[in-house]
Amino acid sequence: MAPVTTTAEEAGPLIGAVESLRAQVAAARLPLDLVVTAGARSNRGALLHQLDDYVLPRLRSLDAPLLAVIGGSTGAGKSTLVNSIVGNEVSRSGVLRPTTTSPVLVHHPDDEAWFSDRRILPGLSRVTGAPGKHPEPGTVRLVASSALPAGMALLDAPDIDSVVHANRAIAEQLLMAADLWLFVTTAARYADAVPWDLLRDASARGTAVAIVLDRVEPDVVDEVRPHLVEMLRDQGLGTSPVFTVPESSLTPEGLLPESATSRLRAWLEALAGDARARSIVVAQTLRGAMASLDGRVDELVDATRVQAAAADALRDAVETAYASALAAVEEGVSDGTLLRGEVLARWQELVGTGEFFKQVETTVSRVRDRMTAAVTGRPRPEEGLDEALHTGVAALVRAHGESASSTVARAWRRLPGGAQLLDDRPELASPDDPLGDRADRLVRDWQGQLLQLIRSESGSRRTNARVAAYGVNGVGLFLMLVTFAHTGGLTGAEVGIAGGTSVLAQRVLEAIFGDQAVRSMAAKARRLLVEDVTALYAAERGRFEAALEDVGVADGQAEGLARAMGAVREANP
């Protein structure tokens, strides 16, 4: 990315583009716990901090004082160095670690307006006064000091390798808010891995860096300093100035002798007093920060697409499982499966040797059967068949529904992000509302629909009389039998139960309604059942889809991020 604009007027369009990018980044979600996008989550937070704490504040206030963040490893003497530069204890120091737990920002009194509002570090509250004994999380303490020249502020940050995670996090955030990083290390720790990870990151972002080699014994200076300079050169920081502070006895006030910090203090004063030099440092860091946006946003775009693909795979697993379950039910209600076992036994009991059709032709026989059932307490044969059909259909619906739920759970366990959802929502695999109860209700309701269908087809007096001869419930049983023995859109006389006795039910219906009407009624009955099962499975599928809604990536998120980054490039050609 080319050099950033240097005037407020030129920066206007760029500010608007960066603000739009910031809004897209803030709205971006990476809700699924995916190994491949874990780093992108951290990157998103760091990107927001970089935009909020540095890029936008600096673009909006190009002439604001230069902010030098003093960071480094535990025990490097950062707070003592800051106090010595200022000539007064503004940051608490001591042997207990960590000493700096809340950042301290020291500025010239004339620059107070630049830092008392939320221009920079908007997520931290401002406090003033002497350092307290207890940390104040989420704050930055402001200290005005005339010992510091106007045009520059020093910010004492917590240790970058603190044992306290919150301290490490705020230290890294503050370093990203710096125009200049003043890295403080010691002869014993200058090669530690943690600070060099941050130095490499600073180099990649183009952040201006100066090095303070603190507490160095005179007899090792000539050995340590050249090695440190060589390491800096290898990391692309060869132009970074290096200041050596020798091991010294502290004054009664706990400060370093003036001679120990004179070179560093003189450099800071010269930088603060030279507007052009300050602008060069600011331009270098701002340019680097802007250039780093490309890679950070690209990573977020890629992670968004991975998240969306993972969510789509989880959703496909749900749709496939329940589509297969519905197809299995459709096959089961038309391939004769339901006309076996208990249904077959009850049908044979009802039909017997043909006496059934004799008894249904006479009112006396019907009355006699009812009276016999009342005396013996045994259910009438047609009631047993009705219950067997009901149980069979409900079992079919329940079995395939529960199988679909289990299939989804197994698939999700294998797919990225799925295990997280199942662990967070155990009720997905084992719903509180049993599917069996709902399947029973569905079949009862469907049987009621069949009775309505029969009544609607009984238009003529003659048809009504024929229906009355068998009873609406009996005709409903015949319709169910024909529906479940109905294949290829035709009533299949060849599909028999116990050697073709189901054909009797078909012939009874044809005698009542006519051949074409029976075909239409059977097709409609099956369609009504499939529609009801579709609605039931949709509700079951909805449990999984609701879980996916909670972790879904917004439509167009990746494209929105990419467009916003493109607008930033256009505004800063």
Side-chain angles (χ1 to χ4, degrees), residues 22-71:
R22 194 267 175 208
Q24 289 288 335
V25 174
R29 298 176 66 238
L30 302 174
L32 287 171
D33 288 336
L34 307 181
V35 174
V36 294
T37 60
R41 282 182 173 179
S42 176
N43 168 56
R44 174 183 172 276
L47 181 55
L48 280 175
H49 282 311
Q50 186 177 36
L51 292 170
D52 288 343
D53 297 340
Y54 185 72
V55 174
L56 283 170
R58 180 48 77 185
L59 283 174
R60 292 166 181 156
S61 306
L62 292 170
D63 55 346
L66 184 147
L67 179 63
V69 174
I70 300 179

Side-chain angles (χ1 to χ4, degrees), residues 18 49 76-77 102 141 172 285 324 344 415:
V18 175
H49 282 311
S102 296
R141 189 164 58 85
E172 293 180 16
T285 301
S324 297
L344 175 58
L415 291 170

Side-chain angles (χ1 to χ4, degrees), residues 367-387:
V367 172
R368 184 185 65 240
D369 285 346
R370 291 194 183 105
M371 292 178 63
T372 301
V375 172
T376 62
R378 295 194 303 270
R380 294 166 59 210
E382 56 264 38
E383 292 177 353
L385 177 59
D386 176 78
E387 187 60 32

Side-chain angles (χ1 to χ4, degrees), residues 341-423:
E342 184 69 15
V343 172
L344 175 58
R346 298 286 75 79
W347 171 255
Q348 290 173 328
E349 178 182 322
L350 179 64
V351 175
T353 60
E355 292 300 317
F356 170 74
F357 288 99
K358 293 179 181 179
Q359 73 180 30
V360 296
E361 290 174 356
T362 64
T363 305
V364 174
S365 295
R366 263 201 324 273
V367 172
R368 184 185 65 240
D369 285 346
R370 291 194 183 105
M371 292 178 63
T372 301
V375 172
T376 62
R378 295 194 303 270
R380 294 166 59 210
E382 56 264 38
E383 292 177 353
L385 177 59
D386 176 78
E387 187 60 32
L389 284 167
H390 170 94
T391 301
V393 178
L396 179 73
V397 173
R398 180 178 65 252
H400 288 296
E402 291 174 348
S403 176
S405 178
S406 299
T407 299
V408 172
R410 288 194 301 271
W412 278 20
R413 288 288 179 194
R414 297 191 301 268
L415 291 170
Q420 165 204 346
L421 294 178
L422 292 174
D423 292 342

